[in-house]
Amino acid sequence: MTGKKLIAPGILTLAILAGAAYVMLADHSAPPPSARGAQGPVPVVVAPVAQRYFETSLESLGTAGANESVEITARITSPVESIEFRDGQQVTRGQVLVRLAAAEEMAEARERQVGVEEQRRELERIRGLVADRNLPRQRLDEQQSRLSEAQARLEAAQVRVADRVIRAPFDGVVGFRRVSLGALVTPGTVITTLDDISIIKLDFSVPETFLPGVAAGQRIEARSAAYRDRTFQGEVTSVDTRVDPGTRAAMVRAAIPNPEGALRPGMLMTLTLVKDETESLSVPESALMQVRDQHYVFVVTDENQVRRQDVQAGRRVPGYVEILSGLEAGTRVVQEGTVRIRPGSAVEVVREYQPDGERS
């Protein structure tokens, strides 16, 4: 019993001595507190605040239409005497397309022309007699009226002859011929179509919420499934004065130059309307930080320290954000390395991006 009581204090003494030795070794191997808190500048990539163009765009679907389009029809009933165009031919304004039989009308016009000449000769004879005081002035006035009536009958006959010659009302391309020689056409019979496609009108709808920013002269870009790798440029020419109460949208018309005739009326086109194109300050997207509804960036000072700067962000384009307020042009902001820094941190600029995207 006495031996066991003597052994226990010895074991306790050895344990205390071992713990003290461990503490002395641990304190000796640890670095001093000043060494634990020291760190060098954080390497970062910066970018300058620079001007860049931003725009608001709206996508829509539109239907292509000809600048001018008409169905060529006859005004009177008459057989087709000659056809003077080919399918798909480019014609000019006033060019003869079809002639209808007009022998009777032409004969009547010649007869009326003879009557006018007779009345004119009679007028000259009476004018001489009135000058010699052999006839009263009243006879001269009566003959002048007869000549005017004859001229009016001649003009009416000439109009009937002209109605038998069908001409192109404007420059354009004719469609398929729908009549044959000798066919009897009547008023309203479609002979062919005529389209002016030098300019394509593109009609599309815009929601009423976007109408305040849409105006004539704005630029559009349009694409067609027929030309997947080609973009057609145009501009808005007019905006409808009414909003459809069913769709709450208004129709907008744009004009697209089509000198090669690549686009055809009736094509479905996808278009982008560009509006509110302005030049504003911008920063790279990776430089913009956000906490709830607040946006901020880290600005690099002349002493190579960073400070937090609250900003108001606007529109975005690929890779960049519009800055509405909070920064000035030329200010350097941290683009890469934002995770490792805090306000007041010392930084080392290892690379800087230029506004055109080139590194320096």
Side-chain angles (χ1 to χ4, degrees):
M1 226 25 195
T2 306
K4 291 182 180 180
K5 292 181 180 179
L6 292 175
I7 293 173
I11 295 174
L12 179 60
T13 302
L14 290 175
I16 293 172
L17 291 175
Y22 177 81
V23 171
M24 292 177 64
L25 289 174
D27 290 342
H28 181 74
S29 61
S34 60
R36 288 198 302 268
Q39 64 177 9
V42 179
V44 296
V45 176
V46 301
V49 179
Q51 295 282 347
R52 186 173 297 273
Y53 279 100
F54 290 86
E55 60 188 29
T56 303
S57 60
L58 170 69
E59 292 189 354
S60 182
L61 292 175
T63 302
N67 184 42
E68 301 290 348
S69 180
V70 68
E71 291 183 337
I72 304 298
T73 61
R75 296 182 179 179
I76 46 83
T77 300
S78 181
V80 176
E81 188 173 77
S82 66
I83 298 174
E84 303 187 12
F85 71 92
R86 301 184 307 277
D87 295 351
Q89 179 182 349
Q90 179 74 40
V91 297
T92 58
R93 179 180 180 180
Q95 181 174 334
V96 175
L97 302 178
V98 174
R99 295 182 186 274
L100 304 179
E104 183 178 349
E105 287 72 21
M106 293 178 66
E108 181 184 359
R110 288 193 295 269
E111 179 183 358
R112 300 299 184 187
Q113 180 65 44
V114 172
V116 168
E117 293 174 356
E118 290 179 353
Q119 296 296 336
R120 184 175 290 114
R121 287 194 297 269
E122 182 65 14
L123 177 64
E124 293 300 325
R125 187 183 71 81
I126 293 176
R127 181 177 287 118
L129 294 175
V130 170
D132 295 337
R133 298 181 181 274
N134 293 325
L135 286 176
R137 178 74 182 183
Q138 182 180 359
R139 289 289 303 276
L140 180 62
D141 296 339
E142 292 174 353
Q143 184 59 33
Q144 182 66 56
S145 298
R146 294 190 185 96
L147 175 60
S148 298
E149 292 175 0
Q151 290 175 333
R153 288 191 291 269
L154 173 61
E155 291 173 1
Q158 291 173 339
V159 168
R160 287 191 289 272
V161 172
D163 286 342
R164 274 123 177 111
V165 180
I166 301 175
R167 303 176 182 270
F170 50 81
D171 297 351
V173 179
V174 293
F176 292 145
R177 175 167 59 89
R178 302 185 186 180
V179 297
S180 300
L181 288 175
L184 181 66
V185 297
T186 59
T189 300
V190 178
I191 297 173
T192 186
T193 58
L194 177 64
D195 294 314
D196 174 13
I197 58 174
S198 60
I199 295 176
I200 290 294
K201 294 178 180 177
L202 188 62
D203 294 342
F204 57 97
S205 62
V206 173
E208 62 178 347
T209 54
F210 286 89
L211 279 180
V214 180
Q218 288 179 328
R219 178 169 54 89
I220 69 160
E221 296 179 350
R223 293 178 177 84
S224 170
Y227 306 97
R228 297 184 181 276
D229 299 329
R230 185 172 177 181
T231 300
F232 298 89
Q233 305 289 338
E235 67 176 28
V236 174
T237 57
S238 60
V239 181
D240 197 356
T241 58
R242 297 184 178 183
V243 174
D244 188 338
T247 61
R248 300 301 177 188
M251 294 302 298
V252 178
R253 173 168 290 176
I256 301 176
N258 189 36
E260 301 175 3
L263 299 177
R264 302 294 180 90
M267 279 185 169
L268 178 66
M269 304 191 72
T270 303
L271 63 97
T272 302
L273 170 64
V274 178
K275 64 175 185 174
D276 301 334
E277 186 176 16
T278 56
E279 189 177 18
S280 305
L281 295 177
S282 67
V283 297
E285 280 186 316
S286 56
L288 187 68
M289 312 296 291
Q290 183 175 359
V291 176
R292 297 184 181 88
D293 297 332
Q294 181 63 50
H295 295 88
Y296 66 91
V297 296
F298 286 113
V299 174
V300 179
T301 65
D302 294 337
E303 294 77 20
N304 282 339
Q305 291 184 339
V306 295
R307 62 179 174 85
R308 170 173 165 164
Q309 177 64 51
D310 293 338
V311 298
Q312 183 181 357
R315 294 167 290 183
R316 296 174 183 254
V317 296
Y320 290 90
V321 181
E322 180 184 25
I323 300 299
L324 302 178
S325 64
L327 292 175
E328 295 180 355
T331 303
R332 296 186 304 168
V333 297
V334 178
Q335 179 182 1
E336 297 180 13
T338 54
V339 178
R340 301 176 57 189
I341 59 177
R342 296 293 183 272
S345 298
V347 295
E348 178 186 357
V349 178
V350 296
R351 191 164 63 247
E352 181 173 344
Y353 279 84
Q354 299 301 319
D356 58 0
E358 297 181 356
R359 299 179 181 181
S360 62

